[in-house]
Amino acid sequence: MVLETQKANLDGKKVRHILALSGGKDSSALAVYMLDKVPEMEYVFCDTGEELGETYEYIEKLKNFLCKDVAWLKSDKDFKFYLDMYNGVLPDANTRWCTRMLKIKPYEEYIGDDHVVSYVGIRADEPHRKGYISTKKNITTVYPFIENNIRREDVIRILHDAGLGLPDYYKWRSRSGCYFCFFQQKIEWIGLLENHPELFKKAMKYEKDGSESSDVGFTWCQSESLRKMTMPIRIDQIKKEHKLRQSRLNNGFMAEQRLADVWLDDFTDSSTSTACNICHL
Ligand code: SF4
């Protein structure tokens, strides 16, 4: 196997090899896949402080499998600090200040001016995704799964064969990231409500942000507040729409795929297709 990695070594300078784990299936499978290929690999996890418990558990499990340290990178300021700094304006798909401040900044500080090969788990069957691409000249991004034609079914097999399986949150959510991630589908918000009601409440409080009576202004979803989403009639409606969509997918062009696979990647709406991959791979 010839990786871009080897080209990056040609200038004779010491090169660090770093794989940023998100707690998702693709970066985890990449860590397993690269284990005996790049023994000097450094593993990092950029913790926003707003992750799901399942993510921490899975990273721990992965760490034990790899028998490697995982550097825990965290901003010295938390989400609330930045939220205040941005005048209470919640991050969204356009601003993404959360990714910049809580993920990319700590990651780039950890790297400093060293020459680094950064490994990203984008698969061969999703070339439309971009992943984290640094503008820093000392960072070379490589995509071993694309280079070696590793696809979704391979990723699932890699994790299965390693005895890791998938992170638990895949039962109700399609990707890793903060519990309040604005890239979530509405059915995933309902999943958060049912699986982690206390986190849902926390997310709801960020929406109010100082205004106890109002649910307009800064909401995680553009079209409705979380408070409205918790109304029983609305929950039913979201679940019904989800089921309908699932059955259409199952009866139609994706009939050959298992339901679990549908959850994993393809059951997305337009907003999730642009999700930032340093958070979600
Ligand atoms: S997971 Fe979502 S909310 Fe968290 S940093 Fe990434 S984009 Fe922002």
Side-chain angles (χ1 to χ4, degrees):
M1 178 177 65
V2 179
L3 291 173
E4 287 296 316
T5 319
Q6 282 141 345
K7 292 181 198 161
N9 274 308
L10 288 179
D11 65 1
K13 290 180 191 156
K14 186 178 180 320
V15 176
R16 290 168 69 191
H17 298 266
I18 305 184
L19 198 160
L21 301 164
S22 71
K25 69 182 189 316
D26 296 315
S27 61
S28 302
L30 185 60
V32 175
Y33 181 76
M34 297 305 299
L35 186 59
D36 56 359
K37 297 177 179 67
V38 182
E40 68 273 39
M41 186 77 83
E42 296 171 46
Y43 300 91
V44 305
F45 175 63
C46 301
D47 184 359
T48 62
E50 306 288 343
E51 313 279 340
L52 290 163
E54 293 98 313
T55 301
Y56 295 124
E57 280 161 25
Y58 196 74
I59 296 274
E60 200 53 39
K61 215 165 137 183
L62 183 61
K63 191 173 136 184
N64 291 337
F65 174 85
L66 299 170
C67 292
K68 299 268 186 182
D69 283 337
V70 174
W72 219 260
L73 310 184
K74 209 166 175 180
S75 164
D76 55 353
K77 307 279 192 303
D78 63 9
F79 177 79
K80 186 67 176 68
F81 173 89
Y82 287 115
L83 184 61
D84 291 343
M85 193 175 108
Y86 286 95
N87 299 318
V89 180
L90 293 172
D92 62 17
N94 294 320
T95 61
R96 293 190 196 182
W97 58 255
C98 46
T99 316
R100 216 169 43 247
M101 298 308 197
L102 300 171
K103 292 255 178 191
I104 293 176
K105 195 164 173 274
Y107 185 55
E108 292 191 343
E109 281 169 4
Y110 176 76
I111 286 171
D113 294 326
D114 292 345
H115 286 267
V116 160
V117 180
S118 180
Y119 292 75
V120 175
I122 294 178
R123 307 182 312 260
D125 56 328
E126 49 176 12
H128 55 285
R129 293 178 86 175
K130 288 239 162 35
Y132 159 65
I133 300 171
S134 178
T135 49
K136 292 184 81 177
K137 285 201 175 113
N138 54 319
I139 303 175
T140 307
T141 306
V142 294
Y143 305 94
F145 283 167
I146 294 179
E147 288 178 41
N148 293 282
N149 197 29
I150 304 290
R151 309 172 81 79
R152 180 180 51 203
E153 56 273 22
D154 302 312
V155 158
I156 293 169
R157 184 182 37 77
I158 289 168
L159 293 176
H160 178 267
D161 292 351
L164 292 164
L166 294 168
D168 272 354
Y169 58 74
Y170 277 125
K171 289 175 192 151
W172 57 273
R173 202 181 204 234
S174 61
R175 60 194 66 225
S176 57
C178 304
Y179 64 86
F180 51 49
C181 186
F182 44 84
F183 283 116
Q184 281 179 102
Q185 306 161 62
K186 290 191 176 165
I187 189 68
E188 294 174 303
W189 279 109
I190 302 304
L192 181 70
L193 176 66
E194 292 179 346
N195 288 278
H196 296 284
E198 72 298 347
L199 292 181
F200 189 95
K201 254 190 214 160
K202 253 178 105 177
M204 214 155 82
K205 278 193 183 152
Y206 283 131
E207 279 194 329
K208 289 180 183 170
D209 197 45
S211 164
E212 292 304 316
S213 57
S214 166
D215 63 0
V216 292
F218 307 132
T219 54
W220 293 107
C221 299
Q222 279 186 353
S223 52
E224 73 183 308
S225 69
L226 295 186
R227 191 175 59 77
K228 280 189 183 155
M229 223 188 274
T230 56
M231 290 162 73
I233 191 169
R234 186 62 186 125
I235 293 176
D236 272 4
Q237 202 180 13
I238 291 170
K239 284 185 175 175
K240 275 183 194 147
E241 282 165 7
H242 174 67
K243 262 197 184 148
L244 186 68
R245 205 167 160 191
Q246 260 181 331
S247 69
R248 275 193 197 133
L249 289 169
N250 286 331
N251 295 331
F253 65 99
M254 291 169 74
E256 78 286 358
Q257 282 194 313
R258 289 181 299 112
L259 187 61
D261 294 339
V262 172
W263 255 120
L264 291 181
D265 275 318
D266 298 309
F267 201 77
T268 58
D269 60 23
S270 56
S271 64
T272 54
S273 65
T274 56
C276 59
N277 294 327
I278 195 169
C279 300
H280 296 121
L281 277 173

